[in-house]
Amino acid sequence: MTRRGPPDAPLADWFATQGWTPAPFQRQVWRHWLRGESGLLVTPTGSGKTLAALGGALLEGLREPASPPHVRGQEKPPRLRMLWVTPLRALATDTTQALQTAITGVGLNWTVAKRTGDASSRDRRLARQGQAEVLVITPESLALLLSYPDTAAQFAGMRGVVVDEWHELLGNKRGVLLQLGLARIRALAPSAVVWGLSATLGNLDEARDVLLPHRPDAPIVRHPKPRAVTLHTLLPEAGERLPWSGHLGLSQLERVVQLIARARSAILFTNTRAQAELWHRALASIWLDDPATLALHHGSLDAALRQAAEQGLRDGSVRCVVATSSLDLGVDFPAVDLVLQVGSPKGIARLLQRAGRANHRPGEPGAIHCVPTHALELAEIAAARRAIVAGQIEARRPPRLSLDVLAQHCVTLALGGGFRDAALLQEVRGTHAFAPLTDVQWQAVLRYIERGGEALENYPDFHRVVLDESGVYRVTERRIALHHRLSIGTITSDGSVAVRFLRGASLGSVEESFISRLRPRDRFQFAGRTLELVTVDNMTAYVRKARGGSVAVPRWQGGRMPLSTELGTALEAALDGPRDSPELRRLAPLLDLQARTSALPTPHTLLVEAVRMRRGGSLFVYPFAGRTVHEGMAALFALRWGRLFPNTFVYAVNDYGFVLSHQQAASVDDALLGSLLTPARLLDDLREALNVTEMARRQFRDIARVAGMLTPSIPGRSQRSLRQVQASSGLLFDVLRRYDPGHVLLAQAEREVFEAQMDVQALTDTFARCATRRLDLRHPETLTPFSFPLWAENTRGELSTEDWATRVRRAAEQLQARHG
């Protein structure tokens, strides 16, 4: 009698030829797949998650008889078996190669195609015709496929969907768009399994339920052993001081170069694109190797430049890449053995993700070297290490009721063969994002896609969908179809201007507001080059190379990342706990000075410092809740204090707290602070303290883009400037407020201001947390190490004949001399 081997024997045999052994978690996922069960795989990057997700489909394919040969002249049947959804186009290329290698290795004659914005014409054709067994795709390209009527037949035989890097999609509108796409797939291919691949999150159960709302008991498979991560810090030398407030960290440049010189290849992460440009320029000025071995990588660079940097890391021709979050995700660079993080990562999950770029191979530990840019970042690094050891990590909260995304999806399906009201409502309510959707909201969305709403129904441009005689919603005009397909997606950005050599290649894009401040012959730093502006024409800045000297560096909106709540909590605990790490021991003199002149914050107190200044005074408050929450708190404090005692207030914030400066002298006591910290009437006071209408107007611009209210730029024609887009969206906002104040998108704009821009939930939680703490009010005679950075931030807008950096440096030196 022939003895049968284990069910995964064919795949295990191929593993053996590669010198590998299937891990238990990989075999567990394969078994679930073969039983038709969906789930969520949680495993660190570099541990073999791709083969874990693919293996079940491979074993399924190996068990099936070979397909009969195609008969010439007959229509080819759809071959699509699996969608592999990836959040980044940069990941798609690596993923496609990895999948094809495994498929070929086990002997399956399957084709892997890529359907992303930069896919080849061959891959686009295979995707449109359903003639690839595996399709690597982004959420936006999936939505685009759903806008074609023949997609339904191609998806009907699909066996499974894998959503890679699900944690990157969970907390934003791209994830909402994908939820709607998956709901459509469930309707077209009910037996298809769905697996999400995720890094560790603080809300894994919720992440599973958002991905698989129809399978609330779906398994969560975890890698049994978290990947070890070693965190090092480039400490200043004995006698060397780190600045008290924000610098770029370039005082550590020499030590960074020494580390890179000992490594095979390195990635140096910064938190902003502007910081990446400046660090690349600084490294280039002392780089002794071939200049081509130093590269730059961020989201505003041209795709060709980014791909060249990625390929250089793969083949070893690039020694170091200076990067932002554009290289955070799981592109495989096995040769990278050094990762550096300039400044605080501001979040525990981000630090783990970046550390995972080093030694990106199964079983290898991750490692990262942190480069502090100012003294208090030493405490943030120590707090992050403690949080990693304790297993603390941030949650990512999924958005709900993004009606602009729902409106876009409805038009997509109306274009892709049409839909019926009741059936689609049931499908949509089956998602996490729209489970609470009311009948009133649903009817408002349908009215919007049909007529634009009450105020816009007399304008044919807003009549996009038609309800035909059989009760099916359809798109009937070619112009509407073209505009909609150009608008699919939820990624919006401020107006950008392409940057291109006068005779030659594209370099990328910068924000329109930056270019508008330059004149011809002005120089600026971009794409790792010093450039001279020649002219601007049709939203393109034409440049030529220039020699060094003093240059401007573009700044991008939204560049600053706030400190996460989890890291802020860990930071308070670190400041109050034993000084048992190299960072806290090096920071001890500064912490002792803070304790002598005022007090140290603790998890049980709210530290407040009232300091008399030459003009009036300043109130410093330290909730450690991140700059977004502190913006709202400072505005509320100013409003409430002004009601009690009329005064002129100016405020500034950072991740540790905020300062409220007042021109007239005012006494501060516990009773006053208690009235300022009350959680009562929080939303009402916030509406009064901030110009919510103007904030909603800006938010409406992005909502209108996603919902298809703004006409997209047509390829080959003149591009619209940000000013034109703002004018169009602003006019629509004003018309709707006046003539249709209940419009579904107006309400969403105000809601997103509170939820996204102000993070009202975190603000409410912070006020509640402060109410449970003992107030620790201090009256120091001078600025303290904690208050100095806030004071420095507050002086940025003051008129002076000195530049800001010089004034701040002189003030810091005076304080340090005063306190020894």
Side-chain angles (χ1 to χ4, degrees), residues 451-650:
R451 298 280 172 177
E454 293 179 12
L456 303 175
E457 62 183 356
N458 293 323
Y459 299 91
D461 282 353
F462 298 103
H463 299 185
R464 293 184 292 158
V465 175
V466 174
L467 180 61
D468 68 15
E469 295 175 354
S470 61
V472 176
Y473 287 85
R474 302 184 188 278
V475 172
T476 58
E477 290 189 36
R478 289 185 61 189
R479 177 181 59 86
I480 298 295
L482 171 64
H483 286 177
H484 179 72
R485 288 185 175 126
L486 287 172
S487 302
I488 281 177
T490 64
I491 301 174
T492 60
S493 61
D494 287 317
S496 60
V497 173
V499 179
R500 180 180 290 275
F501 281 125
L502 196 58
R503 296 180 178 84
S506 169
L507 295 174
S509 61
V510 298
E511 288 187 0
E512 184 182 345
S513 57
F514 172 76
I515 288 293
S516 66
R517 295 193 296 269
L518 300 181
R519 295 172 296 179
R521 302 183 68 82
D522 281 353
R523 291 174 299 175
F524 64 101
Q525 181 78 16
F526 180 64
R529 299 162 173 83
T530 301
L531 305 172
E532 180 183 293
L533 179 65
V534 178
T535 186
V536 179
D537 181 46
N538 190 23
M539 298 301 290
T540 301
Y542 292 97
V543 299
R544 62 167 66 98
K545 284 186 178 181
R547 298 198 176 275
S550 178
V551 295
V553 177
R555 293 289 193 272
W556 285 266
Q557 293 297 317
R560 282 183 165 178
M561 294 180 287
L563 186 76
S564 74
T565 302
E566 290 78 5
L567 186 52
T569 301
L571 176 57
E572 281 185 308
L575 292 170
D576 186 47
R579 296 172 186 175
D580 54 1
S581 67
E583 296 85 7
L584 290 174
R585 285 193 289 271
R586 182 56 58 91
L587 194 58
L590 194 70
L591 297 181
D592 291 341
L593 175 59
Q594 173 68 30
R596 286 200 311 273
T597 56
S598 173
L600 285 170
T602 78
H604 314 293
T605 60
L606 176 64
L607 177 62
V608 180
E609 296 174 345
V611 183
R612 289 187 178 182
M613 311 296 282
R614 281 183 299 176
R615 296 188 301 273
S618 294
L619 184 71
F620 299 90
V621 186
Y622 305 101
F624 287 87
R627 64 174 57 247
T628 301
V629 170
H630 295 156
E631 285 270 6
M633 291 190 76
L636 285 169
F637 266 51
L639 172 75
R640 290 170 171 179
W641 200 352
R643 282 177 184 160
L644 298 171
F645 307 101
N647 209 328
T648 300
F649 298 100
V650 178

Side-chain angles (χ1 to χ4, degrees), residues 299-351:
S300 292
L301 296 182
D302 187 78
L305 296 178
R306 297 198 304 269
Q307 290 165 8
E310 292 164 17
Q311 185 56 39
L313 282 178
R314 288 191 197 95
D315 61 26
S317 61
V318 169
R319 290 282 318 285
C320 177
V321 173
V322 182
T324 60
S325 56
S326 57
L327 276 186
D328 273 3
L329 298 188
V331 182
D332 286 332
F333 301 121
V336 172
D337 52 1
L338 174 67
V339 171
L340 300 110
Q341 163 67 42
V342 175
S344 165
K346 300 301 178 185
I348 303 156
R350 185 177 300 109
L351 184 67

Side-chain angles (χ1 to χ4, degrees), residues 734-771:
D734 291 337
V735 167
L736 293 179
R737 284 195 74 218
R738 183 171 181 180
Y739 298 107
D740 191 3
H743 195 282
V744 63
L745 299 184
L746 280 185
Q748 183 181 334
E750 184 168 307
R751 181 163 54 84
E752 287 190 6
V753 165
F754 284 111
E755 291 179 359
Q757 289 190 31
M758 296 189 215
D759 199 352
V760 165
Q761 185 58 57
L763 183 66
T764 303
D765 293 344
T766 302
F767 269 88
R769 188 171 67 248
C770 290

Side-chain angles (χ1 to χ4, degrees), residues 231 233 377-387 570 574 581 583-584:
L231 193 158
T233 303
E377 281 188 337
L378 289 170
E380 287 189 55
I381 295 166
R385 183 188 287 110
R386 288 186 181 182
S581 67
E583 296 85 7
L584 290 174

Side-chain angles (χ1 to χ4, degrees), residues 242-451:
L242 281 173
W244 282 15
S245 106
H247 285 245
L248 292 171
L250 291 175
S251 62
Q252 304 262 46
L253 180 62
E254 186 176 339
R255 282 190 283 273
V256 168
V257 170
Q258 290 172 358
L259 273 178
I260 294 172
R262 295 196 294 267
R264 185 170 40 170
S265 62
I267 301 176
L268 185 144
F269 281 109
T270 67
N271 288 340
T272 68
R273 286 167 281 186
Q275 200 176 22
E277 290 279 354
L278 289 166
W279 262 91
H280 180 273
R281 187 177 190 222
L283 284 169
S285 68
I286 59 172
W287 194 254
L288 298 179
D289 293 343
D290 182 347
T293 62
L294 175 67
L296 181 65
H297 193 292
H298 62 69
S300 292
L301 296 182
D302 187 78
L305 296 178
R306 297 198 304 269
Q307 290 165 8
E310 292 164 17
Q311 185 56 39
L313 282 178
R314 288 191 197 95
D315 61 26
S317 61
V318 169
R319 290 282 318 285
C320 177
V321 173
V322 182
T324 60
S325 56
S326 57
L327 276 186
D328 273 3
L329 298 188
V331 182
D332 286 332
F333 301 121
V336 172
D337 52 1
L338 174 67
V339 171
L340 300 110
Q341 163 67 42
V342 175
S344 165
K346 300 301 178 185
I348 303 156
R350 185 177 300 109
L351 184 67
L352 287 171
Q353 189 81 34
R354 292 180 174 181
R357 301 290 93 221
N359 306 319
H360 196 281
R361 297 176 293 275
E364 293 282 342
I368 191 164
H369 288 72
C370 293
V371 184
T373 65
H374 62 82
L376 288 175
E377 281 188 337
L378 289 170
E380 287 189 55
I381 295 166
R385 183 188 287 110
R386 288 186 181 182
I388 291 171
V389 171
Q392 298 169 341
I393 199 160
E394 295 86 5
R396 301 202 185 190
R397 298 301 175 194
R400 304 197 89 164
L401 295 175
S402 301
L403 300 181
D404 53 343
V405 183
L406 178 58
Q408 182 186 115
H409 181 68
C410 288
V411 179
T412 295
L413 298 191
L415 185 54
F419 68 86
R420 293 184 182 275
D421 177 346
L424 184 56
L425 176 58
Q426 182 180 4
E427 182 180 309
V428 164
R429 280 179 174 162
T431 66
H432 177 275
F434 298 102
L437 183 71
T438 66
D439 289 343
V440 172
Q441 290 169 321
W442 173 243
Q443 292 302 320
V445 170
L446 292 181
R447 282 196 306 274
Y448 166 68
I449 64 174
E450 274 192 281
R451 298 280 172 177

